[in-house]
């Protein structure tokens, strides 16, 4: 007889076969994290940290975030990037057709360029191997680059986040520190800030904060200080405006300004760069 006090550990991951919209391979494994399973917080770079929950087996969903077709290496951060059957019938990929056409024309070249470690189909399954995890993020960065050239909105901020995600994963796996990833992220984030290429005004504050974090890590304190001043000035402007317009996102700019200042004050403390904290 089983112990009545023994609780079954539940898998927090949902797996579904989806179809690649490029090569039509129909057994691409897409993973999703069940809602309200693992507690989520964020590290200093705003990358999610998935904390344990005794009811569920633990997984770092950052490792499964990007679904990859093992045949042509088309990839997506969401199930909607692929064709699949949902509750209301067949759903077709929402990835822009210019990107899909590019991938169709260049898939052999892409696979030859990226599969340097001869990653097999099974390595993309859960649990993924370290090589497949790193490859999935590199492919996601490449896809964002294709989207930038195709002038897809918000592709630049998407690529910046993926550079940072890869930086954090490499640190987790004790791979060589790659500051170039943070430098590339800063270039993208500054371009996002210049173009205001984000879906909502409040993203501007997070963009400034992320530039501050990356620049402090890169020991570019001059640029970090410039963007802290931008947050300060924006906060002052919104404080004044909020007196006549209660819809101004004063709380949001205050949050990101305070986070940036706190980081600046503690920048000499090496413990702040523990990305699993």
């Amino acid at each position: 007889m089983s112990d009545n006090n023994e609780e079954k550990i539940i898998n927090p991951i949902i797996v579904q076969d989806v179809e690649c919209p490029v090569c039509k391979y129909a057994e691409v494994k897409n993973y999703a994290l069940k809602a309200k399973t693992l507690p989520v917080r964020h590290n200093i770079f705003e990358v999610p940290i998935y904390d344990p929950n005794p009811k569920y087996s633990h997984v770092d969903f950052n490792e499964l975030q990007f679904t990859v077709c093992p045949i042509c290496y088309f990839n997506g951060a969401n199930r909607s990037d692929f064709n699949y059957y949902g509750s209301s019938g067949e759903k077709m990929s929402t990835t822009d057709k210019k990107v899909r056409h590019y991938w169709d024309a260049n898939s052999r070249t892409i696979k030859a360029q990226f599969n340097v470690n001869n990653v097999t189909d099974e390595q993309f399954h859960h649990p993924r191997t370290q090589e497949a995890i790193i490859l999935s993020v590199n492919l996601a960065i490449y896809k964002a680059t294709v989207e930038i050239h195709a002038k897809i909105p918000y592709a630049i901020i998407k690529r910046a986040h993926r550079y940072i995600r890869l930086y954090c994963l490499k640190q987790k796996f004790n791979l060589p520190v790659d500051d170039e990833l943070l430098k590339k992220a800063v270039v993208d984030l500054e371009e996002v800030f210049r173009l205001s290429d984000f879906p909502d005004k409040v993203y501007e504050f997070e963009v400034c904060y992320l530039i501050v974090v990356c620049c402090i890590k890169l020991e570019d304190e001059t640029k970090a200080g410039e963007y802290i001043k931008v947050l300060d000035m924006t906060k002052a402007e919104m404080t004044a405006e909020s007196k006549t317009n209660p819809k101004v996102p004063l709380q949001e700019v205050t949050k990101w300004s305070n986070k940036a200042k706190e980081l600046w004050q503690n920048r000499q403390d090496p413990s702040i760069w523990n990305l699993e904290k």
Side-chain angles (χ1 to χ4, degrees):
M1 292 178 64
S2 61
D3 187 344
N4 290 333
N5 294 324
E6 184 180 336
E7 291 189 12
K8 184 179 178 182
I9 303 298
I10 305 168
N11 186 351
I13 298 295
I14 301 169
V15 59
Q16 178 182 2
D17 280 348
V18 294
E19 181 185 77
C20 175
V22 175
C23 72
K24 305 305 180 185
Y25 180 62
E27 296 180 18
V28 181
K29 302 298 180 187
N30 173 259
Y31 298 98
L33 186 65
K34 294 176 186 174
K36 299 179 181 179
T37 54
L38 303 180
V40 182
R41 51 197 173 87
H42 294 81
N43 69 18
I44 200 166
F45 287 105
E46 290 302 303
V47 172
I49 297 173
Y50 298 90
D51 285 333
N53 179 340
K55 292 183 180 180
Y56 296 90
S57 56
H58 185 256
V59 62
D60 180 357
F61 193 68
N62 292 303
E63 299 178 358
L64 298 169
Q65 177 70 62
F66 301 109
T67 296
V68 179
C69 171
I71 307 303
C72 71
Y73 277 11
F74 178 80
N75 62 88
N78 300 298
R79 183 178 62 171
S80 59
D81 286 298
F82 295 82
N83 304 332
Y84 66 96
Y85 281 93
S87 56
S88 57
E90 188 175 8
K91 303 285 187 181
M92 305 308 290
S93 171
T94 58
T95 299
D96 190 278
K97 65 180 180 180
K98 294 190 293 292
V99 176
R100 287 184 275 126
H101 289 165
Y102 174 88
W103 216 275
D104 188 32
N106 295 279
S107 59
R108 287 188 180 182
T109 304
I110 294 167
K111 194 161 189 178
Q113 175 184 341
F114 281 95
N115 195 11
V116 292
N117 290 317
N118 296 314
V119 173
T120 62
D121 299 9
E122 292 75 18
Q123 287 177 265
F124 287 112
H125 297 177
H126 176 50
R128 279 185 181 167
T129 63
Q130 178 178 305
E131 290 78 13
I133 293 163
I134 297 297
L135 176 56
S136 73
V137 187
N138 273 316
L139 287 168
I141 290 169
Y142 184 80
K143 186 186 177 194
T145 304
V146 174
E147 291 174 341
I148 291 168
H149 290 306
K151 302 189 184 307
I152 308 299
Y154 321 135
I156 305 175
I157 192 169
K158 187 188 294 184
R159 187 172 69 176
H161 279 295
R162 291 172 183 181
Y163 282 135
I164 293 170
R165 183 77 58 100
L166 184 56
Y167 178 87
C168 293
L169 281 168
K170 285 193 168 188
Q171 178 165 318
K172 174 185 176 180
F173 294 140
N174 294 315
L175 297 173
V177 174
D178 192 352
D179 286 343
E180 286 301 313
L181 290 170
L182 296 187
K183 291 175 183 177
K184 290 175 180 178
V186 170
V187 170
D188 278 358
L189 290 167
E190 287 199 290
E191 184 69 357
V192 167
F193 182 76
R194 184 182 73 82
L195 296 173
S196 294
D197 184 28
F198 30 71
D200 193 287
K201 173 70 176 175
V202 296
Y203 278 88
E204 177 184 336
F205 317 137
E206 181 179 352
V207 165
C208 289
Y209 166 79
L210 286 174
I211 294 172
V212 171
V213 178
C214 293
C215 287
I216 290 177
K217 184 61 178 172
L218 293 168
E219 299 182 351
D220 186 350
E221 295 191 353
T222 300
K223 185 172 286 186
E226 290 172 359
Y227 280 91
I228 289 173
K229 287 179 183 175
V230 169
L231 285 168
D232 264 351
M233 291 170 57
T234 307
K235 180 182 173 183
E237 291 168 3
M238 289 193 171
T239 299
E241 190 180 344
S242 67
K243 294 175 182 176
T244 55
N245 181 6
K247 293 184 178 180
V248 167
L250 179 59
Q251 189 174 352
E252 280 293 310
V253 71
T254 301
K255 177 183 80 172
W256 293 108
S257 176
N258 289 346
K259 282 169 70 76
K261 285 181 178 177
E262 182 181 356
L263 175 60
W264 177 264
Q265 290 165 359
N266 296 314
R267 66 190 184 280
Q268 303 299 335
D269 179 0
S271 70
I272 66 172
W273 303 109
N274 178 356
L275 303 184
E276 297 300 313
K277 280 179 63 178

